[in-house]
Amino acid sequence: MAPTGRPTGNVLIVGAGPTGLLLAGDLAAAGIGCTVLERRAEAPSNLTRAFAVHARTLEVLDARGLAGELIATGRRVGALRLLGSTALDLSRLPGRFPFVLVTPQYETERVLKERALAAGAEIVHGAEVVGLRQDAGGVDVDVRTADGETGTRRASYVVGADGVRSTVRRELGLPFPGQAAVRSVMLADVRLDEEPEDVLTIGAVGDAFAFIAPFGDGWYRVIAWNRHHQAADSEPVDMAELREVVRRALGTDHGIRDPRWTSRFHSDERQVPRYRTGRVFLAGDAAHVHSPAGGQGMNTGIQDAANLGWKLAAELWGWAPSWLLDSYHEERHPVGRQVLRGSGALLRFALAEPRWLRVARGGDAL
Ligand SMILES: Cc1cc2nc3c(=O)[nH]c(=O)nc-3n(C[C@H](O)[C@H](O)[C@H](O)COP(=O)(O)OP(=O)(O)OC[C@H]3O[C@@H](n4cnc5c(N)ncnc54)[C@H](O)[C@@H]3O)c2cc1C
């Protein structure tokens, strides 16, 4: 139905990650006034988390005319060699994108941000949301700017796309139940003397796990885990340990050198019980989080946003049936739960210690 008149309200999105940016583009393209409030200053970054963009996400992007541009930034992987002999043939996937696209998360964010701005969304950097209150007619959001000043903005609806430590979720008083998934994972962005044979290299031997993905410009992201050294996130990554763990998991360290950035992280498996509380919604990592195993977090967040955007637009244009906004939780919460389960199973499989190794160490009897 072609919209008539004017929309009855506006939307504030908290967080300019992939989830918030796709949502902003969809709302602006539908003629809804929307502002994204982002705590970070506006600065290009070569840091990234996600590399894998899956087929369904490419379809979502294609529907918005963005898939071709994003695909041009990365490399296609038609088969995934998982942990030695196990392989996943993606070329048989039905659809236009029978592959995983490997491209750094900042490329996905760039494409989504350019589209959101071109469609008329406002993106405010250096704006941290510190509180919110809702009433029957709207939501008041307290915002602190980079120079320390605090003000209040009002919107018809607010979407918390503000990541795993979501302030919006905290302000709603919602729990984030779940459990720790993995700790002391080493990250390093490095150069390699030898290019790996596969685009994505994954290997595990029970007490060591390693993953290597290309940025596409000569730099590589190495992710490694050492069962025998579980350190706090604050402990620096020792490059000698990283090389040794990668050699154990992959048989070679590919000549890792010149680290430009290193870090340790841990991840949890958690999901919020309700994606909607009145006029406030949660999407992406603010609603669900799991380990990077399977590369699903960003993909799931983008698909949350694609589900929510047109529904908010329909409500604000005045043609949504009364149940439409609630269907966001009903449709996306089960998907989030499935993703948590799938990613958790993959992680436990990758990190499982073979029984023969436990026996050899005297920790178990055959
Ligand atoms: C090592 C690693 C590898 C990964 N690999 C993959 C992968 O291959 N594929 C995949 O799909 N996923 C992957 N993920 C997960 C993926 O990175 C996240 O799921 C994704 O970034 C979530 O997007 P988001 O927009 O929901 O949240 P975020 O990307 O976290 O964005 C939230 C934004 O909100 C802002 N913000 C936070 N609080 C406030 C506030 N109070 N006010 C204003 N702004 C605020 C933050 O600055 C941030 O910009 C990986 C994660 C890790 C750690």
Side-chain angles (χ1 to χ4, degrees):
M1 187 192 302
T4 53
R6 295 166 67 84
T8 56
N10 64 328
V11 179
L12 268 179
I13 299 167
V14 187
T19 306
L21 290 171
L22 185 114
L23 183 62
D26 278 11
L27 287 167
I32 302 298
C34 87
T35 299
V36 184
L37 301 172
E38 168 55 53
R39 181 173 57 192
R40 279 180 290 139
E42 183 159 26
S45 163
N46 61 5
L47 298 182
T48 197
R49 289 185 282 165
F51 278 89
V53 183
H54 292 292
R56 178 62 194 140
T57 304
L58 289 171
E59 288 176 348
V60 166
L61 296 177
D62 194 37
R64 290 152 178 83
L66 302 173
E69 185 182 350
L70 189 64
I71 289 169
T73 68
R75 293 173 69 181
R76 303 167 188 221
V77 177
L80 282 177
R81 198 162 359 135
L82 299 171
L83 312 175
S85 55
T86 319
L88 195 59
D89 180 7
L90 301 172
S91 65
R92 293 192 203 160
L93 274 181
R96 289 190 53 213
F97 305 105
F99 53 86
V100 171
L101 176 69
V102 176
T103 192
Q105 181 167 331
Y106 54 70
E107 291 289 4
T108 306
E109 291 181 7
R110 178 185 60 76
V111 168
L112 293 175
K113 183 176 180 181
E114 285 173 7
R115 175 216 180 207
L117 289 172
E122 180 191 22
I123 302 178
V124 185
H125 283 268
E128 179 178 9
V129 169
V130 291
L132 65 81
R133 297 161 301 285
Q134 56 178 319
D135 54 48
V139 190
D140 289 316
V141 174
D142 299 328
V143 187
R144 186 166 54 212
T145 57
D147 52 21
E149 283 185 19
T150 306
T152 300
R153 287 182 178 238
R154 188 164 172 84
S156 313
Y157 292 97
V158 167
V159 180
D162 50 345
V164 63
R165 293 188 186 82
S166 170
T167 302
V168 175
R169 189 182 65 232
R170 185 196 70 206
E171 289 295 299
L172 292 173
L174 289 173
F176 201 31
Q179 59 188 356
V182 62
R183 54 191 291 264
S184 197
V185 181
M186 295 177 276
L187 300 178
D189 289 353
V190 300
R191 296 219 183 252
L192 301 177
D193 284 334
E194 304 149 17
E195 187 178 344
E197 198 181 311
D198 295 331
V199 179
L200 292 181
T201 309
I202 308 169
V205 290
D207 59 356
F209 170 89
F211 168 91
I212 302 180
F215 280 86
D217 59 358
W219 290 94
Y220 290 83
R221 162 66 50 84
V222 178
I223 303 181
W225 178 80
N226 181 6
R227 184 184 298 280
H228 306 304
H229 183 209
Q230 300 285 295
D233 287 356
S234 55
E235 185 174 310
V237 171
D238 173 356
M239 291 306 290
E241 179 193 1
L242 183 86
R243 288 189 191 93
E244 189 275 321
V245 173
V246 173
R247 275 197 301 275
R248 239 191 299 149
L250 301 179
T252 168
D253 65 16
H254 293 281
I256 290 173
R257 61 181 163 82
D258 300 339
R260 68 174 176 190
W261 174 83
T262 63
S263 181
R264 280 182 194 273
F265 80 100
H266 70 276
S267 68
D268 292 354
E269 294 166 350
R270 298 184 182 279
Q271 188 179 26
V272 77
R274 285 200 311 275
Y275 282 20
R276 178 185 184 187
T277 304
R279 293 178 168 274
V280 184
F281 297 80
L282 292 169
D285 277 16
H288 46 75
V289 70
H290 52 81
S291 86
Q296 292 284 356
M298 178 183 75
N299 286 273
T300 311
I302 286 175
Q303 291 167 42
D304 289 345
N307 183 289
L308 181 58
W310 70 270
K311 293 175 180 174
L312 281 170
E315 177 69 24
L316 290 168
W317 277 110
W319 62 265
S322 58
W323 48 263
L324 190 65
L325 286 181
D326 280 337
S327 73
Y328 167 65
H329 168 87
E330 285 154 18
E331 290 170 6
R332 295 306 299 172
H333 188 274
V335 172
R337 195 170 54 224
Q338 258 179 3
V339 170
L340 252 74
R341 283 198 191 131
S343 165
L346 200 57
L347 181 78
R348 282 179 266 287
F349 175 64
L351 303 188
E353 192 176 22
R355 195 140 177 253
W356 65 265
L357 202 61
R358 284 204 307 271
V359 172
R361 289 203 197 96
D364 203 354
L366 272 175

